[in-house]
Amino acid sequence: MLNLSNILTAKYRQWWTLLAMSSALALVFIDQTALAVALPAIQRDLNLSNTLLQWVINAYLLTLSTLILLGGKVGDSLGHKKAFLFGVTVFISASILCALAQSGIWLVVARVVQGVGGAFMMPSTSALVINAFPEQERGKAMGIYVALAAIFLALGPLLGGALTEWLSWRAVFWINFPVALTSIILAIAAVPVWQRTEKLTIDYLGLLLSILFISGFVLCFMEGPHWGWSSLTTIMLFLLSILALIAFIVLERHLQDPLVEITLFDNPLFSMVTAIMVIIQAVSIVFVFWAIFIQNVLQYSPLQAGLRLLPAILPVVFMAPIGGHLRDKYGPNIPMFAGCLLVVLSLIWIGFFSHYQNYVWLFPGLLTYGIGMPIMLSGTMVTVMATVSTQQRGIAAAILSGARQFGNSIGLAMLVGLLGSVNKWQLSTFMNTAQAPLSHIKESQIDGLLAKSAVAMQAIRHLSTQSVAVLNTAALKAYTFAFSITMYMAALLAGICLLLILKIPRTEKAS
């Protein structure tokens, strides 16, 4: 049997490793952007409520954010190759389960398993790339690694739209299989086995407390519109999550081998830049709302929606290197502030002009966002690394990765909670003032009306054509108003980042 390891010489093995890790990273980015375009089709096919539809995204993000530090620690202790292969195997197995899903609960559970795989896979990809190259070639390797990731990120909406429209939303998950298989084969063949003699020590109590905090916090916002913001369940869960956070901080400060090096946050600059990363990642989840709005409100097909989302994604390929150059020349403050300001303006623009329900008016906002976000983010990682000592940069990178995923998860939860509450209020107001037979329909019965889910279609099938048209118009107005308010909230969050950026010292010093 042909042994690939013997074929791969030391000269080329590092490049095969780079290709394997870039393929794995492509899985993550394609999953994030391509799946967003497929959401309306998933909602129609599986008859999902709007909230359960958002759990399709957040089940993955939530699991990833709670376990990614554990995945990084396991990689450091047992070897990144083992952690990576375990993670990518779980990820692709869960992707197959997602593609075969027959219900919303099935799909959400499979996405949780997918998040487990991602948590073990992602921290090891960059570590394996860095370890594969000598010091003088690492900058070039990481540049290629990031560039390939950016290309896949840009192609995600188009690929997701094409697969959904020409085949099925299930193809968005099936496409992961050949990519993951290629990554596994290359990793087995090219990445050398690394043995560590140190004992693996896991802070299980800290892990449990972190899961309680993150999941409780996210669950409050995701389900708040349905439970009621002042309900006992919501209040108690929120208090439990805060108590878990306090207990986690106290515990981690007193452990010899903690899950998170809390002492890093004693550095005000590290804390500030990490907070900026969490908030701006929370803002970046608006992409999911755009993908749904363009299809459900503007009535574009999945492929057409994917094409119309490109202005918000494609500039990443060009603007990220420019942002890095600006940071090297002027420091982090100017490009981060300029990029964040563009993001704020773009969200305000989209929020205001969404009422026109015309893509032409949304295009300038999408393009401005696509230019501003990579300019802001390009220097953030380097800025964080510059705030800590060389010995702490490994754990600092892991904390930052966890912070990014937590930002995505909490951002989706907060914005979904806001959009759901406003949309429900608007629809309920209309229903309360409407005349029969519309007044007999409950808001919950038409939760998936804009996506034309089977449940919603069943609820309105007895209505006349005129009544259906009136109800559709009311649903469009309610959702558009809620969407607009959500964009304004995202702009407000990005505005907080602007204020924090002003506090970053112009001279970076490692501690």
Side-chain angles (χ1 to χ4, degrees):
M1 184 176 179
L2 191 63
N3 191 335
L4 288 178
S5 296
N6 295 333
I7 295 177
L8 300 174
T9 64
K11 179 180 179 181
Y12 296 108
R13 181 171 291 177
Q14 59 191 15
W15 295 105
W16 289 117
T17 300
L18 176 61
L19 180 59
M21 298 305 108
S22 298
S23 299
L25 198 63
L27 286 175
V28 176
F29 284 126
I30 289 175
D31 185 80
Q32 289 177 354
T33 55
L35 183 58
V37 180
L39 287 176
I42 293 174
Q43 185 175 25
R44 283 192 299 272
D45 192 26
L46 299 182
N47 294 321
L48 306 185
S49 66
N50 287 332
T51 300
L52 191 57
L53 181 68
Q54 302 304 335
W55 273 114
V56 172
I57 295 289
N58 219 359
Y60 172 79
L61 293 175
L62 181 58
T63 308
L64 190 61
S65 62
T66 55
L67 296 181
I68 195 167
L69 288 174
L70 175 63
K73 191 171 184 64
V74 170
D76 287 339
S77 301
L78 299 183
H80 289 291
K81 180 177 181 177
K82 292 180 180 178
F84 171 79
L85 289 175
F86 172 77
V88 73
T89 302
V90 172
F91 188 93
I92 187 55
S93 300
S95 295
I96 294 173
L97 290 176
C98 289
L100 297 174
Q102 299 300 312
S103 68
I105 299 299
W106 178 338
L107 182 57
V108 169
V109 171
R111 290 285 287 165
V112 169
V113 179
Q114 206 174 32
V116 174
F120 284 87
M121 176 178 69
M122 285 181 61
S124 296
T125 55
S126 57
L128 288 173
V129 171
I130 291 174
N131 292 340
F133 286 83
E135 180 69 31
Q136 65 273 18
E137 294 184 11
R138 286 177 180 172
K140 177 176 66 175
M142 289 304 293
I144 296 173
Y145 174 72
V146 173
L148 289 173
I151 291 173
F152 283 115
L153 183 70
L155 290 176
L158 189 59
L159 180 63
L163 290 174
T164 301
E165 186 167 334
W166 294 340
L167 298 174
S168 165
W169 62 265
R170 299 178 189 276
V172 174
F173 293 106
W174 283 118
I175 197 66
N176 290 342
F177 185 78
V179 179
L181 188 61
T182 300
S183 183
I184 290 172
I185 293 173
L186 290 175
I188 291 174
V191 179
V193 177
W194 178 73
Q195 298 291 341
R196 190 183 182 105
T197 57
E198 295 180 19
K199 182 180 179 182
L200 174 61
T201 303
I202 297 177
D203 173 19
Y204 290 105
L205 181 56
L207 177 64
L208 176 61
L209 290 171
S210 67
I211 291 174
L212 283 175
F213 160 61
I214 297 175
S215 58
F217 202 67
V218 168
L219 193 58
C220 281
F221 285 99
M222 288 286 286
E223 298 296 335
H226 304 281
W227 294 343
W229 294 108
S230 59
S231 69
L232 182 62
T233 303
T234 302
I235 294 173
M236 292 301 294
L237 190 58
F238 181 78
L239 291 176
L240 176 63
S241 66
I242 297 301
L243 290 174
L245 173 62
I246 295 172
F248 176 78
I249 294 173
V250 172
L251 176 69
E252 298 301 286
R253 282 193 175 276
H254 290 86
L255 285 181
Q256 185 176 0
D257 192 14
L259 184 67
V260 176
E261 294 282 353
I262 295 293
T263 54
L264 282 171
F265 291 94
D266 293 337
N267 180 339
L269 187 54
F270 179 84
S271 299
M272 191 181 304
V273 178
T274 304
I276 291 172
M277 177 60 76
V278 171
I279 297 171
I280 204 63
Q281 287 296 134
V283 171
S284 70
I285 207 68
V286 294
F287 184 87
V288 173
F289 298 93
W290 295 343
I292 295 173
F293 184 86
I294 290 176
Q295 292 180 74
N296 287 355
V297 176
L298 304 188
Q299 295 296 302
Y300 285 107
S301 70
L303 179 57
Q304 292 171 333
L307 285 168
R308 282 160 178 79
L309 284 168
L310 287 180
I313 297 293
L314 196 58
V316 172
V317 179
F318 311 102
M319 298 311 301
I322 293 175
H325 173 73
L326 292 175
R327 184 208 169 276
D328 291 340
K329 187 173 183 179
Y330 300 108
N333 303 70
I334 293 178
M336 286 180 68
F337 186 87
C340 191
L341 180 60
L342 289 176
V343 170
V344 172
L345 294 176
S346 71
L347 293 170
I348 294 174
W349 179 284
I350 292 173
F352 181 81
F353 286 102
S354 61
H355 292 285
Y356 288 78
Q357 297 181 5
N358 189 317
Y359 176 79
V360 173
W361 288 105
L362 298 183
F363 176 82
L366 295 173
L367 183 60
T368 303
Y369 176 92
I371 294 171
M373 186 61 83
I375 291 178
M376 179 186 175
L377 291 178
S378 57
T380 305
M381 184 70 172
V382 179
T383 302
V384 171
M385 292 299 101
T387 67
V388 301
S389 63
T390 304
Q391 294 79 9
Q392 292 178 309
R393 286 178 182 171
I395 187 61
I399 290 174
L400 187 62
S401 295
R404 292 175 62 183
Q405 303 307 325
F406 175 66
N408 282 152
S409 185
I410 194 61
L412 183 61
M414 291 176 63
L415 296 179
V416 162
L418 176 62
L419 187 144
S421 294
V422 176
N423 186 56
K424 183 177 181 180
W425 166 56
Q426 289 282 294
L427 272 180
S428 297
T429 301
F430 169 78
M431 294 299 183
N432 291 336
T433 57
Q435 297 180 348
L438 294 182
S439 59
H440 298 153
I441 299 176
K442 296 180 180 179
E443 179 272 333
S444 58
Q445 292 179 285
I446 55 171
D447 197 16
L449 180 62
L450 296 182
K452 296 181 173 59
S453 68
V455 173
M457 293 297 100
Q458 176 72 17
I460 66 171
R461 68 174 188 169
H462 66 283
L463 299 178
S464 66
T465 303
Q466 183 179 2
S467 294
V468 170
V470 171
L471 188 58
N472 271 318
T473 300
L476 284 171
K477 287 183 178 179
Y479 188 87
T480 301
F481 181 78
F483 175 86
S484 176
I485 296 298
T486 303
M487 293 303 104
Y488 292 146
M489 175 56 73
L492 179 61
L493 292 174
I496 296 174
C497 287
L498 277 178
L499 299 178
L500 292 176
I501 291 170
L502 291 175
K503 299 293 184 180
I504 297 177
R506 293 186 177 277
T507 302
E508 303 169 31
K509 293 182 180 180
S511 59

